[in-house]
C-alpha cells in the first residue's frame, strides 16, 4: 500500500495495530529506512514509523554526496575509504544508477595553502587507487585546465589543481525510493506518527504507543524487538525506556547554502580550509551547493537551522577558491542545516569519529545512531546482523540471507528514460527536454508512471513554477504513491521547488489545495 490519503492512513494504522511485528523501527532517516529495507528482505515482519516525514530532518540535509571520503585519508583511515569506495561503486553501478551520478572534483592548490601539490597529487592518486581506478586516475592539472572546468574559479595564486572522481545524488529521492523498496519487500510504514510512549511487558520494551500528527488519532504497535533509530533524538527515546539513561551521543551541526549559478560547472571544488577541514562547492540541481560547517550543537534538534553566522562562514570559506561574483547573497535560494550524530565523549566534534553507535537499554530496546548515505546499505546490514545475534535471540533463528545487490525501484539508464520520454509523444506535444531529463534523473523508469498520468490529464504536464523543471504530475504522484502528506513533504523532499527558491506562497497554497 503506497497511497497516503486520510482513509489510507487509517487503514495503515489499523494494520499496524493488529499485527504482531518481529521488528518495530522508530525513525525513518538513513539508518531506519536502511534497516527496515534489509529486515524486510530477510523475511521479517517489520514496521517503521517517523514523527515527521521520511528523511525529514538531517537525512535530507546532507552534502548530497556519495563519496569515498578523501579527507579520511588525512587521518590515515585507509580501510574506511576503501569500504566507502566499494559501496559508492555498487550504488552507482547496480543499486541506483538512476539516482547516483558521477562527478569530477578539483582540489585547487594555492600558494601558501595548507597542502602542497606533491602531497595532494599523491593523495588523489591513492584515493583513485583505493577505488581500483574506477573513476579514472587521480592527477594534477594546470590552472588553465582547471578554469575550463570551473569558470568561477579564483585564479590569483593558483598553482595547480588535483583531480579525482566521486558521485552525487538527491538524498531525499534516494530516501523515498528506499522506503518504497522496503514496502515492496513487505514492510509497513507510516510517517507523521509520533511515539508518545513505549509499551513494556515484564520490564521489556515490546512496542510503542503513537499519535498520528495529522489527525490526532492514537494507536499502538507491538513488536518482539524495538529499534530506536531517531538520530539526534536517540537519547530522548532512551530516556522513555529508562529515565536515568546517560547521554550516548553528541551533536555537530552542518549547514549548507544553495545559490543560483551563473554559468555551467563541469566539476565540483573541494577546497582545503585548514589541515583537516574542507569546503565544498558542488554543481547540484542547476544550482551551486556550498558547505559545510562543523560545530557542536546543544539545542533542541527540531530547531536546527542555518544562522547568519553560518551563512557568513560558508560564503567566506567558499571565497578561498570561488570568485565573489558567484557568491552574492542575493543569489542564495535556500539555506539548510542538519545534525551529525557523533559518539559521546570529550574533545572537539571535528575530531570525533564518524561511526555508527549501537547501545542496548535496560528494557532491551536497541538504539543505533550515526548514519551515512554512502555506506547506508552496509550499515543497515551490519545493524540487522547485530539484531540477529542479540542474547536471547528476540528475532528468532530464521532470518533469510539478503541478496547482495537488490536495486532501488526505477533502476534504469537515465539517458534512455529521458530519450523515451521525449520521443514517446507526437512531435507537437513532446515533453520539454529539461523536464524529461529532470524526471529521468529523479525517478528512473518510474518516470513512465508520471508520463501516464500526463497522458490521462495533460494539465499535470505543466510546470509548478515556470522557472523550474518540477511538474504537477510529481505533486500528484507524491501524494498518491510517495507518502507526501504536507506541503513541505512535496516542496522540500519530493520535488526541488524549495532548493531552487520556487516554493512561493502561491505555489504552497496550490499544493495545499491538491493535498486536501
Amino acid at each position: 500500500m503506497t497511497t497516503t490519503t486520510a482513509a489510507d492512513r487509517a487503514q495503515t494504522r489499523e494494520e499496524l495495530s493488529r499485527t504482531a511485528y518481529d521488528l518495530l523501527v522508530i525513525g525513518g532517516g538513513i539508518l531506519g529506512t536502511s534497516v527496515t529495507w534489509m529486515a524486510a528482505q530477510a523475511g521479517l515482519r517489520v514496521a517503521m514509523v517517523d514523527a515527521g516525514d521520511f528523511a525529514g530532518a538531517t537525512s535530507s540535509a546532507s552534502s548530497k554526496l556519495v563519496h569515498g571520503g578523501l579527507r579520511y585519508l588525512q587521518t590515515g583511515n585507509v580501510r574506511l575509504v576503501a569500504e566507502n569506495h566499494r559501496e559508492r561503486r555498487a550504488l552507482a553501478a547496480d543499486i541506483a544508477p538512476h539516482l547516483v551520478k558521477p562527478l569530477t572534483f578539483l582540489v585547487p592548490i594555492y600558494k601558501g595553502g595548507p597542502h602542497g601539490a606533491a602531497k595532494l597529487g599523491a593523495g588523489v592518486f591513492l584515493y583513485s587507487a583505493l577505488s581500483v581506478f574506477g573513476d579514472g586516475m587521480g592527477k594534477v592539472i594546470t590552472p588553465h585546465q582547471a578554469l575550463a572546468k570551473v569558470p568561477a574559479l579564483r585564479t590569483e595564486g593558483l598553482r595547480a589543481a588535483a583531480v579525482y572522481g566521486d558521485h552525487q545524488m538527491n538524498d531525499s529521492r534516494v530516501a523515498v525510493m528506499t522506503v518504497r523498496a522496503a514496502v515492496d519487500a513487505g514492510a509497513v510504514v507510516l510517517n507523521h506518527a509520533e511515539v508518545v510512549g513505549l509499551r513494556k511487558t515484564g520490564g521489556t520494551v515490546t512496542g510503542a504507543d503513537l499519535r498520528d500528527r495529522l489527525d490526532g488519532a492514537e494507536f499502538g504497535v507491538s513488536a518482539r524487538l524495538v529499534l530506536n533509530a531517531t538520530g539526534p533524538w536517540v537519547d530522548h527515546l532512551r530516556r522513555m525506556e529508562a529515565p536515568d539513561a546517560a547521554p550516548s551521543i553528541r551533536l555537530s551541526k552542518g549547514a549548507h547554502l544553495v545559490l543560483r549559478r551563473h554559468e555551467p560547472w563541469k566539476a565540483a571544488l573541494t577546497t582545503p580550509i585548514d589541515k583537516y577541514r574542507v569546503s565544498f562547492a558542488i554543481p547540484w540541481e542547476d544550482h551551486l551547493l556550498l558547505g559545510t560547517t562543523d560545530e557542536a550543537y546543544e539545542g533542541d534538534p527540531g530547531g536546527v537551522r542555518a544562522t547568519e553566522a553560518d551563512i557568513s562562514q560558508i560564503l567566506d570559506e567558499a571565497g578561498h577558491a570561488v570568485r565573489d561574483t558567484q557568491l552574492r547573497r542575493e543569489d542564495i535560494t535556500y539555506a539548510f542545516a542538519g545534525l551529525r550524530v557523533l559518539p559521546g565523549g570529550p574533545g572537539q566534534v571535528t575530531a570525533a569519529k564518524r561511526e555508527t553507535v549501537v547501545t542496548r537499554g535496560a528494557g532491551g530496546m536497541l538504539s543505533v545512531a550515526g548514519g551515512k548515505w554512502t555506506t547506508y546499505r552496509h550499515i543497515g546490514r551490519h545493524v540487522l546482523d547485530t539484531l540477529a545475534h542479540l542474547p536471547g535471540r528476540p528475532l528468532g533463528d530464521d532470518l533469510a540471507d539478503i541478496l547482495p545487490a537488490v536495486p532501488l525501484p526505477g533502476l534504469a539508464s537515465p539517458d534512455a528514460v529521458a530519450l523515451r520520454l521525449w520521443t514517446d509523444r507526437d512531435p507537437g506535444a513532446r515533453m520539454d527536454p529539461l523536464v524529461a531529463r529532470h524526471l529521468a534523473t529523479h525517478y528512473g523508469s518510474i518516470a513512465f508512471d508520471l508520463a501516464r498520468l500526463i497522458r490521462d490529464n495533460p494539465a499535470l504536464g505543466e510546470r509548478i513554477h515556470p522557472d523550474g523543471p518540477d511538474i504537477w504530475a510529481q505533486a500528484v504522484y507524491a501524494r498518491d504513491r510517495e507518502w507526501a502528506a504536507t506541503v513541505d513533504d512535496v516542496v522540500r523532499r519530493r520535488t526541488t521547488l524549495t532548493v531552487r527558491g520556487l516554493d512561493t506562497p502561491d505555489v504552497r497554497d496550490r499544493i495545499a489545495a491538491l493535498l486536501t
Side-chain angles (χ1 to χ4, degrees), residues 121-180:
V124 295
F125 181 80
L126 171 58
Y127 190 71
S128 308
L130 289 169
S131 81
V132 203
F133 299 111
D135 302 276
M137 199 171 308
K139 56 181 191 254
V140 175
I141 59 175
T142 66
H144 183 69
Q145 290 168 311
L147 194 62
K149 289 185 185 296
V150 180
L153 185 63
R154 204 180 259 289
T155 50
E156 305 82 3
L158 182 66
R159 292 192 151 162
V163 184
Y164 67 97
D166 256 334
H167 285 77
Q168 75 176 154
M169 49 89 176
N170 181 314
D171 47 17
S172 307
R173 293 300 314 161
V174 173
V176 169
M177 292 296 192
T178 305
V179 176
R180 187 167 171 150

Side-chain angles (χ1 to χ4, degrees), residues 334-350:
Y334 187 45
F336 62 93
L339 294 169
R340 301 176 192 88
V341 180
L342 305 172
Q348 293 286 320
V349 288
T350 44

Side-chain angles (χ1 to χ4, degrees), residues 180-413:
R180 187 167 171 150
V183 170
D184 287 349
V188 179
V189 304
L190 191 65
N191 53 359
H192 303 289
E194 180 183 11
V195 171
V196 290
L198 294 175
R199 295 182 159 190
K200 291 188 179 174
T201 312
T204 302
V205 175
T206 54
D209 293 311
L210 295 111
R211 183 176 64 241
D212 189 322
R213 281 182 159 181
L214 301 181
D215 65 5
E218 301 202 344
F219 64 104
V221 183
S222 296
R224 288 198 285 177
L225 186 67
V226 175
L227 179 71
N228 167 14
T230 53
W233 291 271
V234 70
D235 285 339
H236 167 73
L237 212 65
R238 287 177 63 245
R239 284 192 293 274
M240 272 192 193
E241 177 188 32
D244 58 349
S248 66
I249 56 152
R250 53 200 176 130
L251 303 174
S252 153
K253 181 170 90 165
H256 292 82
L257 297 180
V258 183
L259 290 90
R260 284 182 206 91
R261 211 172 56 209
H262 298 306
E263 52 210 326
W265 286 34
K266 295 195 185 77
L269 294 177
T270 303
T271 308
I273 298 301
D274 55 35
K275 226 173 108 179
Y276 291 106
R277 286 194 58 245
V278 299
S279 160
F280 288 121
I282 302 167
W284 186 68
E285 300 292 7
D286 313 319
H287 285 60
L288 191 64
L289 178 70
L290 302 179
T292 177
T293 59
D294 194 351
E295 57 171 10
Y297 184 82
E298 308 280 348
D300 169 17
V304 69
R305 60 185 180 84
T307 61
E308 186 49 48
D310 295 327
I311 293 170
S312 297
Q313 180 189 338
I314 292 169
L315 290 174
D316 180 53
E317 291 180 347
H320 288 218
V322 181
R323 287 202 200 119
D324 293 345
T325 48
Q326 179 54 75
L327 299 176
R328 299 193 311 235
R329 279 175 178 258
E330 58 265 36
D331 284 329
I332 296 173
T333 55
Y334 187 45
F336 62 93
L339 294 169
R340 301 176 192 88
V341 180
L342 305 172
Q348 293 286 320
V349 288
T350 44
K353 279 199 165 63
R354 306 302 202 241
E355 59 187 29
T356 308
V357 185
V358 183
T359 52
R360 196 170 189 197
M365 179 172 75
L366 210 79
S367 293
V368 56
K372 187 167 179 290
W373 274 121
T374 302
T375 49
Y376 88 117
R377 289 187 326 135
H378 177 78
I379 293 169
R381 279 196 298 264
H382 166 68
V383 172
L384 185 63
D385 195 50
T386 306
L387 299 181
H389 296 98
L390 287 175
R393 298 273 175 147
L395 292 180
D397 294 316
D398 46 357
L399 268 70
D401 286 339
I402 293 171
L403 295 171
V406 174
L408 288 180
L411 179 82
S413 150

